[in-house]
Amino acid sequence: MPPRQPQPSRHSSRRAVPPRASGYRHPAASPRPRRFLLLLIVLIGLMAGAAIAWWGASWGVGRLGDRPAIVESESADSTAIVDSEGGPVAAISDPADTTTLSPLPVANPADPYALHPWAKQSYVPAIMYHDVVVGTKQVWFDHTLADLRRDFEAIRAAGATPISIDALYDHLRNGTNLPEKPILLTFDDAYLGQYENAYPLLQEFNYPAAFYIQTGFVGVPTSKDHFTWDQMREMEASGLVTMAAHTINHPEDLRLLDDEKLHREVFESKRVLEEQLGHPVLQFAYPSGNRDERVMQVVKDAGFAMAITMDSGYVGQSPNLLEVRRFNQFRLTEALIGTRTVPRGELHTYDLDVTAPVTLSEETVDNVHLFAMRGGRAATVHADARYNVGTLIDRYHATAGINGSFFSLPWIYASSNVMVGPVMAANNHAFVPGRDRDNRAIRGRPLVLFGRDRLAFVPFHPDVMNTQADIEQLMPDVTDLFVAGLWLVKDGEALSLSELESFNLSSAAEARPRVFFGVDEDNQIIVGVTDTHIYSLKLAQILPKLGVREAVLLDSGFSSSLVYEGEVLATGHATAEQPSRPVPHAIMLYDLYKLQLNPPDRDPLTRLVKAVPEESQFATQQVLQSILAGRNTLEKGDRGAAVYALQRGLEMVAIAQGEPNPLPSGADGVYGNEVVAAIEPYLPAAPSRVWLASTEGETFEGETLAAEPLRGTSIDGRALRSVLNAVGELPSPVLVDTDLPGRRERSRDLSRNP
C-alpha cells in the first residue's frame, strides 16, 4: 500500500528569528514539587521532540508537497568559519597542484550492502507506480493510462533513459556506469492493470521496469484484480520486466509481525517466485516502506541483494542497499530535473574561454530590459560581513561584479555573512559547510563549482556534498562554490513553470529585478541583471534568446547589483543613486588583458593611496609622505582622505588575517584616534613607540622622546611604517591568476552540459 496521502505544506519566505541564548541559573533552593514539575516537563518535551523527529524523518521531509521553502531569513548568532564538527576550517592547498582525478574508490568489501562512493555522487531516481487504469481512478494512488503515457513522453523529452533494476544494483554496489540521465520505473502490488495497460506502453516505448509481487495475490482477485503467473512469465520473457518480491500477503507493517510470521513473509515469497519463474530473485520491496533493523536482518538472511523503500529521494542518497529510496509518481518532474550520473568519477564541466575580454551589453528582449556581461575570468567573494558590490570590486581590483547567492537574515541592517548552503570563495579559500536546517530545504538546487577555468552545475546533495573532501571527489581543483536558487536554463532550454516550482523557492513567482549567472554558447561566463521587475519563469524564457546554455538564479530583489568599471548599472531599487542591499557574497569578473596592461601596484604606499577616490589621491600621498619624513602626524580628531586610506589599509590586513574589520565606518566615518587604536597590534614592542612617551628627556635607541603623553592621540612615521609593512606583506588583492592562457586544447566534449 502507498503512504497516506501527503498534505500540501504552508511555506513562508520568512522565519521568526529565535532569541539569543541567555544564561539561566536555577534557584539554589527550589521547592521539591517545582523540581518534580520541571523534570516532568523536560521528559515530556524530550518524548515529544523524539516523536516529531521520527515523524519528520518518516513523512515530513521530501514527500509530495512537504518540501520546505528556501530559508531566506534564518537567524545566525555567529559568523565563525567552522567545519561540520565545530572545529576551524583549514585553508585548502593550491588547487593548481591537483591535475588528475583521484583513483576510483571501492565499496566497503566487508559490507555487501554498502553503496559505492561514486554512486553517492549520482542522481538516479526510482519512480514508484501502483495500478494503471483506463478512465476514472478508483483510489488516489492509481495512475491513468493517459497519465502514464504523458510521463513516458516527459521521460523521453528530458533525454532520460529507463534502466533495469539489475543495472541499478550494479551501479550502486560496484560503481559501474549508467546512461547520462538514468531512471528506474517500478510498479508495486501485481495489479492486472499493470499487465493490461502499463506493459503494452513499456513495450511501445521500449522501457524496462521492475514489478514487485506479493505471491499470495497472484491471479487472485481482491478489491482489485491481479495478473497471473503465466502473464508474469510473458512479461519477463520480453526482456523488459524484472519480477521482484513484495512478501506473500502484503502485511501493512512487517515490524509488527512476530519472528515466525516475518520469516515466512520474506523467505517464502522469495522461494515461491524463484520456483515459478525459474531463476534467482534478489530484489525486495517493503510493504508501505516499513522496516527496522530486525526486518532488514531477515531480508539479509533470506539472501536478497537489495531492498527498496518508499522514502523519497534519489537512490544515491540511500543509506545502504537495504534502504533504497524512491520518488512517488507525482514527483516525476522533480526527479527528471535532477537526474544525472557522474561516469567514471568524472564531472561534466564547461571549459571556459577566459581569454575573451569582459564586455557589457544592454538588451531588451520580450519587453524585458537587462544588462549582461560576458567573458573574463571569474572568482567569488565570501566577505566577513556585508558590503556594497562596488566596495568589493574596489577591494579586489575586479573589472566588474555582481551580487552572489542567497544568504541568511536578508534584512537591510543585518551584518551576518552566513550563506544558505555550503560556500567556498577565492578571497579566503575556506570551505564553510551548509547548516543542516538549510541543507534540508535546498536539496536538489544547483551547486555551482569553479575549477581552473571551468564550471560545473550539479544538483546539491547534502549527504555527500557538505564537506571539502566530498567536493574534491567531484572536482579536485575546486576553488569556489555556492548553492544557487534554481536552474533557469539547462542544455540551452528554458525550464518550464512546473520545473521551476519543483525547487520550492518561495520568491520565484514574485515580480522582482532578477539576477543570473551562467555560461553562453561561446563558453564564456555570462552574468546579468534585469531592471524590469519580472518572474523567474520570464527570465528563464528570455535567456536562451541571448545564447545562454546554462544559467542559475542568484539572489534577486533588493540585493540585485551589477557594477562595471565603477559604474552602478542596475540595483534592487528604482535608480542607481539608491544602493542595493549590502551582501556578503559576490561574483567578480576580471579582464585578463586589462590586468596585464595595468597590474595592481604592490607598493604598500601606492596601495593605500589608491584606496581613496581618485580626486583625493595626490593630496593623500603628500600627507602620508610627510608623515614618513617626520614633518607631520595625524592627530586625534583628524578626518579626511589620509585617515580613510589608513582605515582601508588596516581593513585589508585584517581580512587577509581572517580577523574582523577593526574600523567599520559609522554614519560619519572614522577619526584619527580610532585609527591609532587599530594600528596598535601592528606596532613594535611598547618601548619603541615614540608616541607613547610620557617623561621628558627619556631616550630609547638614542632618540629623545616627546615631552607630552601621546598614547592614542597621534600617528607618526614609525606607526605609519608599521602599517605599510603589514600591507606590503599582503598577497595581491586580485582573486584570479592573471596569466593570459592561450586557447587550450579542450579534451571534453562541450556538447555535453552538466
mmCIF file of all heavy atoms in Angstrom, residues 164-188:
data_model
loop_
_atom_site.group_PDB
_atom_site.id
_atom_site.type_symbol
_atom_site.label_atom_id
_atom_site.label_comp_id
_atom_site.label_asym_id
_atom_site.label_seq_id
_atom_site.Cartn_x
_atom_site.Cartn_y
_atom_site.Cartn_z
ATOM 1 N N SER A 164 17.255 -1.082 -16.169
ATOM 2 C CA SER A 164 16.765 -2.244 -15.431
ATOM 3 C C SER A 164 17.220 -2.160 -13.986
ATOM 4 O O SER A 164 18.186 -1.460 -13.647
ATOM 5 C CB SER A 164 17.302 -3.531 -16.060
ATOM 6 O OG SER A 164 18.698 -3.649 -15.809
ATOM 7 N N ILE A 165 16.543 -2.910 -13.129
ATOM 8 C CA ILE A 165 16.925 -2.892 -11.723
ATOM 9 C C ILE A 165 18.267 -3.584 -11.510
ATOM 10 O O ILE A 165 19.019 -3.237 -10.596
ATOM 11 C CB ILE A 165 15.819 -3.526 -10.849
ATOM 12 C CG1 ILE A 165 16.046 -3.160 -9.377
ATOM 13 C CG2 ILE A 165 15.749 -5.037 -11.054
ATOM 14 C CD1 ILE A 165 14.884 -3.448 -8.488
ATOM 15 N N ASP A 166 18.615 -4.533 -12.373
ATOM 16 C CA ASP A 166 19.936 -5.161 -12.267
ATOM 17 C C ASP A 166 21.040 -4.154 -12.579
ATOM 18 O O ASP A 166 22.097 -4.153 -11.930
ATOM 19 C CB ASP A 166 20.034 -6.355 -13.215
ATOM 20 C CG ASP A 166 19.134 -7.503 -12.787
ATOM 21 O OD1 ASP A 166 18.850 -7.621 -11.579
ATOM 22 O OD2 ASP A 166 18.699 -8.286 -13.663
ATOM 23 N N ALA A 167 20.817 -3.290 -13.576
ATOM 24 C CA ALA A 167 21.800 -2.253 -13.893
ATOM 25 C C ALA A 167 21.944 -1.269 -12.733
ATOM 26 O O ALA A 167 23.044 -0.810 -12.426
ATOM 27 C CB ALA A 167 21.398 -1.524 -15.170
ATOM 28 N N LEU A 168 20.816 -0.963 -12.101
ATOM 29 C CA LEU A 168 20.881 -0.061 -10.953
ATOM 30 C C LEU A 168 21.686 -0.689 -9.825
ATOM 31 O O LEU A 168 22.527 -0.023 -9.205
ATOM 32 C CB LEU A 168 19.479 0.279 -10.465
ATOM 33 C CG LEU A 168 19.440 1.160 -9.213
ATOM 34 C CD1 LEU A 168 20.016 2.540 -9.505
ATOM 35 C CD2 LEU A 168 18.026 1.273 -8.655
ATOM 36 N N TYR A 169 21.439 -1.948 -9.531
ATOM 37 C CA TYR A 169 22.181 -2.609 -8.463
ATOM 38 C C TYR A 169 23.680 -2.590 -8.754
ATOM 39 O O TYR A 169 24.498 -2.296 -7.867
ATOM 40 C CB TYR A 169 21.716 -4.056 -8.280
ATOM 41 C CG TYR A 169 22.595 -4.819 -7.307
ATOM 42 C CD1 TYR A 169 22.449 -4.654 -5.938
ATOM 43 C CD2 TYR A 169 23.600 -5.659 -7.776
ATOM 44 C CE1 TYR A 169 23.274 -5.319 -5.044
ATOM 45 C CE2 TYR A 169 24.434 -6.332 -6.892
ATOM 46 C CZ TYR A 169 24.275 -6.160 -5.521
ATOM 47 O OH TYR A 169 25.103 -6.810 -4.648
ATOM 48 N N ASP A 170 24.060 -2.893 -9.995
ATOM 49 C CA ASP A 170 25.474 -2.919 -10.344
ATOM 50 C C ASP A 170 26.107 -1.542 -10.172
ATOM 51 O O ASP A 170 27.265 -1.411 -9.764
ATOM 52 C CB ASP A 170 25.633 -3.399 -11.788
ATOM 53 C CG ASP A 170 26.990 -4.035 -12.036
ATOM 54 O OD1 ASP A 170 27.651 -4.434 -11.057
ATOM 55 O OD2 ASP A 170 27.406 -4.111 -13.206
ATOM 56 N N HIS A 171 25.338 -0.506 -10.458
ATOM 57 C CA HIS A 171 25.837 0.855 -10.267
ATOM 58 C C HIS A 171 25.996 1.177 -8.786
ATOM 59 O O HIS A 171 27.027 1.713 -8.362
ATOM 60 C CB HIS A 171 24.877 1.851 -10.921
ATOM 61 C CG HIS A 171 25.185 3.283 -10.626
ATOM 62 N ND1 HIS A 171 26.262 3.946 -11.178
ATOM 63 C CD2 HIS A 171 24.556 4.191 -9.821
ATOM 64 C CE1 HIS A 171 26.289 5.196 -10.738
ATOM 65 N NE2 HIS A 171 25.275 5.363 -9.913
ATOM 66 N N LEU A 172 24.984 0.854 -7.992
ATOM 67 C CA LEU A 172 25.025 1.184 -6.576
ATOM 68 C C LEU A 172 26.093 0.390 -5.833
ATOM 69 O O LEU A 172 26.742 0.912 -4.926
ATOM 70 C CB LEU A 172 23.660 0.934 -5.934
ATOM 71 C CG LEU A 172 22.525 1.863 -6.361
ATOM 72 C CD1 LEU A 172 21.223 1.450 -5.686
ATOM 73 C CD2 LEU A 172 22.851 3.312 -6.040
ATOM 74 N N ARG A 173 26.276 -0.853 -6.214
ATOM 75 C CA ARG A 173 27.231 -1.698 -5.495
ATOM 76 C C ARG A 173 28.656 -1.551 -6.023
ATOM 77 O O ARG A 173 29.618 -1.480 -5.249
ATOM 78 C CB ARG A 173 26.797 -3.167 -5.581
ATOM 79 C CG ARG A 173 27.757 -4.138 -4.892
ATOM 80 C CD ARG A 173 27.942 -3.801 -3.439
ATOM 81 N NE ARG A 173 29.005 -4.595 -2.813
ATOM 82 C CZ ARG A 173 29.681 -4.232 -1.739
ATOM 83 N NH1 ARG A 173 29.420 -3.076 -1.166
ATOM 84 N NH2 ARG A 173 30.620 -4.993 -1.239
ATOM 85 N N ASN A 174 28.814 -1.489 -7.361
ATOM 86 C CA ASN A 174 30.142 -1.549 -7.966
ATOM 87 C C ASN A 174 30.576 -0.257 -8.651
ATOM 88 O O ASN A 174 31.692 -0.178 -9.167
ATOM 89 C CB ASN A 174 30.198 -2.697 -8.980
ATOM 90 C CG ASN A 174 29.855 -4.031 -8.350
ATOM 91 O OD1 ASN A 174 30.351 -4.353 -7.264
ATOM 92 N ND2 ASN A 174 28.995 -4.801 -8.998
ATOM 93 N N GLY A 175 29.696 0.727 -8.706
ATOM 94 C CA GLY A 175 30.063 1.986 -9.334
ATOM 95 C C GLY A 175 30.114 1.947 -10.835
ATOM 96 O O GLY A 175 30.724 2.823 -11.463
ATOM 97 N N THR A 176 29.510 0.940 -11.455
ATOM 98 C CA THR A 176 29.542 0.853 -12.914
ATOM 99 C C THR A 176 28.738 1.995 -13.538
ATOM 100 O O THR A 176 27.830 2.547 -12.931
ATOM 101 C CB THR A 176 28.967 -0.488 -13.397
ATOM 102 O OG1 THR A 176 27.660 -0.659 -12.832
ATOM 103 C CG2 THR A 176 29.847 -1.638 -12.943
ATOM 104 N N ASN A 177 29.099 2.320 -14.759
ATOM 105 C CA ASN A 177 28.482 3.452 -15.435
ATOM 106 C C ASN A 177 27.039 3.166 -15.822
ATOM 107 O O ASN A 177 26.668 2.027 -16.135
ATOM 108 C CB ASN A 177 29.269 3.815 -16.689
ATOM 109 C CG ASN A 177 30.558 4.522 -16.364
ATOM 110 O OD1 ASN A 177 30.750 4.979 -15.247
ATOM 111 N ND2 ASN A 177 31.446 4.622 -17.333
ATOM 112 N N LEU A 178 26.258 4.229 -15.820
ATOM 113 C CA LEU A 178 24.889 4.209 -16.320
ATOM 114 C C LEU A 178 24.777 5.252 -17.423
ATOM 115 O O LEU A 178 25.688 6.071 -17.592
ATOM 116 C CB LEU A 178 23.913 4.533 -15.187
ATOM 117 C CG LEU A 178 23.754 3.483 -14.083
ATOM 118 C CD1 LEU A 178 22.850 4.032 -12.981
ATOM 119 C CD2 LEU A 178 23.196 2.187 -14.633
ATOM 120 N N PRO A 179 23.678 5.265 -18.166
ATOM 121 C CA PRO A 179 23.480 6.370 -19.108
ATOM 122 C C PRO A 179 23.527 7.707 -18.378
ATOM 123 O O PRO A 179 23.386 7.780 -17.150
ATOM 124 C CB PRO A 179 22.088 6.087 -19.689
ATOM 125 C CG PRO A 179 21.876 4.629 -19.491
ATOM 126 C CD PRO A 179 22.601 4.273 -18.232
ATOM 127 N N GLU A 180 23.695 8.784 -19.141
ATOM 128 C CA GLU A 180 23.893 10.094 -18.520
ATOM 129 C C GLU A 180 22.715 10.516 -17.652
ATOM 130 O O GLU A 180 22.890 11.123 -16.607
ATOM 131 C CB GLU A 180 24.136 11.142 -19.604
ATOM 132 C CG GLU A 180 24.480 12.511 -19.048
ATOM 133 C CD GLU A 180 24.776 13.521 -20.128
ATOM 134 O OE1 GLU A 180 24.726 13.149 -21.307
ATOM 135 O OE2 GLU A 180 25.028 14.688 -19.795
ATOM 136 N N LYS A 181 21.491 10.208 -18.082
ATOM 137 C CA LYS A 181 20.299 10.576 -17.311
ATOM 138 C C LYS A 181 19.450 9.323 -17.086
ATOM 139 O O LYS A 181 18.452 9.099 -17.769
ATOM 140 C CB LYS A 181 19.485 11.631 -18.046
ATOM 141 C CG LYS A 181 20.171 12.981 -18.169
ATOM 142 C CD LYS A 181 19.263 13.982 -18.864
ATOM 143 C CE LYS A 181 19.889 15.355 -18.936
ATOM 144 N NZ LYS A 181 18.992 16.337 -19.594
ATOM 145 N N PRO A 182 19.805 8.494 -16.126
ATOM 146 C CA PRO A 182 19.075 7.237 -15.922
ATOM 147 C C PRO A 182 17.853 7.434 -15.041
ATOM 148 O O PRO A 182 17.758 8.376 -14.254
ATOM 149 C CB PRO A 182 20.107 6.354 -15.229
ATOM 150 C CG PRO A 182 20.938 7.329 -14.459
ATOM 151 C CD PRO A 182 20.959 8.611 -15.248
ATOM 152 N N ILE A 183 16.922 6.492 -15.151
ATOM 153 C CA ILE A 183 15.736 6.494 -14.298
ATOM 154 C C ILE A 183 15.229 5.060 -14.209
ATOM 155 O O ILE A 183 15.282 4.311 -15.196
ATOM 156 C CB ILE A 183 14.649 7.439 -14.850
ATOM 157 C CG1 ILE A 183 13.478 7.565 -13.867
ATOM 158 C CG2 ILE A 183 14.164 7.009 -16.224
ATOM 159 C CD1 ILE A 183 12.504 8.678 -14.234
ATOM 160 N N LEU A 184 14.765 4.647 -13.019
ATOM 161 C CA LEU A 184 14.212 3.310 -12.816
ATOM 162 C C LEU A 184 12.706 3.422 -12.632
ATOM 163 O O LEU A 184 12.233 4.225 -11.825
ATOM 164 C CB LEU A 184 14.835 2.657 -11.578
ATOM 165 C CG LEU A 184 14.250 1.297 -11.182
ATOM 166 C CD1 LEU A 184 14.645 0.229 -12.197
ATOM 167 C CD2 LEU A 184 14.705 0.894 -9.778
ATOM 168 N N LEU A 185 11.947 2.619 -13.366
ATOM 169 C CA LEU A 185 10.493 2.573 -13.243
ATOM 170 C C LEU A 185 10.108 1.337 -12.440
ATOM 171 O O LEU A 185 10.556 0.228 -12.750
ATOM 172 C CB LEU A 185 9.843 2.521 -14.627
ATOM 173 C CG LEU A 185 10.224 3.656 -15.583
ATOM 174 C CD1 LEU A 185 9.610 3.413 -16.960
ATOM 175 C CD2 LEU A 185 9.793 5.008 -15.027
ATOM 176 N N THR A 186 9.290 1.511 -11.400
ATOM 177 C CA THR A 186 8.866 0.382 -10.568
ATOM 178 C C THR A 186 7.349 0.397 -10.419
ATOM 179 O O THR A 186 6.725 1.458 -10.374
ATOM 180 C CB THR A 186 9.510 0.433 -9.170
ATOM 181 O OG1 THR A 186 8.972 1.527 -8.433
ATOM 182 C CG2 THR A 186 11.026 0.580 -9.263
ATOM 183 N N PHE A 187 6.767 -0.795 -10.333
ATOM 184 C CA PHE A 187 5.317 -0.966 -10.178
ATOM 185 C C PHE A 187 5.079 -1.963 -9.044
ATOM 186 O O PHE A 187 5.608 -3.075 -9.072
ATOM 187 C CB PHE A 187 4.688 -1.477 -11.475
ATOM 188 C CG PHE A 187 4.775 -0.503 -12.622
ATOM 189 C CD1 PHE A 187 5.936 -0.400 -13.380
ATOM 190 C CD2 PHE A 187 3.696 0.310 -12.944
ATOM 191 C CE1 PHE A 187 6.013 0.492 -14.437
ATOM 192 C CE2 PHE A 187 3.769 1.205 -14.005
ATOM 193 C CZ PHE A 187 4.927 1.303 -14.755
ATOM 194 N N ASP A 188 4.289 -1.567 -8.054
ATOM 195 C CA ASP A 188 4.044 -2.404 -6.880
ATOM 196 C C ASP A 188 2.680 -3.089 -6.948
ATOM 197 O O ASP A 188 1.718 -2.544 -7.516
ATOM 198 C CB ASP A 188 4.081 -1.551 -5.603
ATOM 199 C CG ASP A 188 5.493 -1.117 -5.228
ATOM 200 O OD1 ASP A 188 6.410 -1.301 -6.049
ATOM 201 O OD2 ASP A 188 5.665 -0.574 -4.121
#
